[in-house]
Amino acid sequence: AQSVTQLGSHVSVSEGALVLLRCNYSSSVPPYLFWYVQYPNQGLQLLLKYTTGATLVKGINGFEAEFKKSETSFHLTKPSAHMSDAAEYFCAVNSGYALNFGKGTSLLVTP
Amino acid sequence: EAGVAQSPRYKIIEKRQSVAFWCNPISGHATLYWYQQILGQGPKLLIQFQNNGVVDDSQLPKDRFSAERLKGVDSTLKIQPAKLEDSAVYLCASSPSGPSLNEQFFGPGTRLTVL
């Protein structure tokens, strides 16, 4: 079965600092990988996804992620954190046509 | 375009009571999903519909949970009777034609508290 593990349930960065949220996957087939963001009391919004092709994927709000098959990783990065980036971030992998989500990483951005 | 609509946004019930949630997907989206998100965890798929047919309900606790999608549009999810461990946010999502790995669009969720 396909699954993802998010390392670090809470990450704190200073405004303007690099954001790095870690995700490792386990899949018996070539995976499709996703990052979603959830703001308080809202549903999930897609940040970016990897299906095939280029391994560096750019998403919304300046986020990007790199698919590394050798490391079974799909880490999310942003060069410079903004206060508005504070939210819960979920990594997910396809399971059939639905998604298996990680437990999430809460990002705190401090002034 | 309008997003995925869910109601109610919040619901508080006592254990052993019944509750129902409603979802209206984005117009034209063939695939509809119900996820359960327990506090501190990621969403877990409960059931997936393709038009008005069930694609996957392997993780739906069928002794107490039921769902339907009449006419392939709106959907309802019911819990009867509710247990304490059902306290969670219930998220509805939809995606365009399927089955495929198109982006899923999520509604705001219904937060259920079982006392």
Side-chain angles (χ1 to χ4, degrees):
Chain A
Q2 286 70 253
S3 65
V4 294
T5 301
Q6 292 184 241
L7 301 177
S9 58
H10 295 84
V11 171
S12 181
V13 301
S14 299
E15 190 175 19
L18 171 71
V19 175
L20 171 60
L21 304 182
R22 300 177 186 273
C23 174
N24 287 89
Y25 70 90
S26 173
S27 179
S28 56
V29 297
Y32 287 11
L33 295 158
F34 304 78
W35 276 100
Y36 279 84
V37 61
Q38 186 176 35
Y39 298 101
N41 298 315
Q42 295 187 29
L44 281 73
Q45 179 183 9
L46 180 68
L47 280 176
L48 49 81
K49 68 178 180 182
Y50 168 79
T51 54
T52 58
T55 57
L56 181 62
V57 181
K58 296 186 183 299
I60 62 171
N61 301 339
F63 285 94
E64 62 182 35
E66 186 170 10
F67 171 67
K68 291 187 176 181
K69 184 177 179 180
S70 61
E71 299 177 7
T72 61
S73 68
F74 191 57
H75 302 329
L76 182 71
T77 60
K78 182 174 180 177
S80 177
H82 192 273
M83 297 297 289
S84 60
D85 294 328
E88 190 85 13
Y89 291 80
F90 293 94
C91 182
V93 64
N94 64 296
S95 176
Y97 298 109
L99 297 173
N100 279 345
F101 286 86
K103 292 187 175 182
T105 297
S106 180
L107 177 64
L108 175 65
V109 182
T110 58
Chain B
E1 66 181 2
V4 176
Q6 291 188 247
S7 67
R9 290 295 311 277
Y10 305 91
K11 189 73 176 178
I12 300 174
I13 62 172
E14 295 189 350
K15 60 182 179 183
R16 291 188 289 273
Q17 286 188 320
S18 301
V19 65
F21 313 129
W22 174 80
C23 172
N24 185 287
I26 293 173
S27 178
H29 281 195
T31 309
L32 185 147
Y33 310 81
W34 282 103
Y35 288 87
Q36 179 192 58
Q37 185 178 17
I38 293 174
L39 185 65
Q41 298 183 22
K44 183 187 79 172
L45 180 71
L46 291 176
I47 188 168
Q48 176 187 348
F49 292 93
Q50 177 70 22
N51 296 310
N52 61 348
V54 175
V55 174
D56 181 1
D57 64 356
S58 58
Q59 298 192 79
L60 186 73
K62 299 181 185 62
D63 58 333
R64 298 184 299 106
F65 286 65
S66 64
E68 61 182 8
R69 190 183 184 197
L70 299 177
K71 300 182 181 179
V73 182
D74 295 6
S75 177
T76 56
L77 177 68
K78 297 179 181 178
I79 308 176
Q80 180 179 11
K83 292 185 176 181
L84 297 176
E85 58 261 37
D86 297 332
S87 293
V89 175
Y90 291 85
L91 294 166
C92 179
S94 70
S95 63
S97 61
S100 69
L101 285 167
N102 288 310
E103 175 183 352
Q104 295 183 25
F105 295 82
F106 284 80
T110 296
R111 183 177 299 275
L112 173 67
T113 302
V114 182
L115 302 176

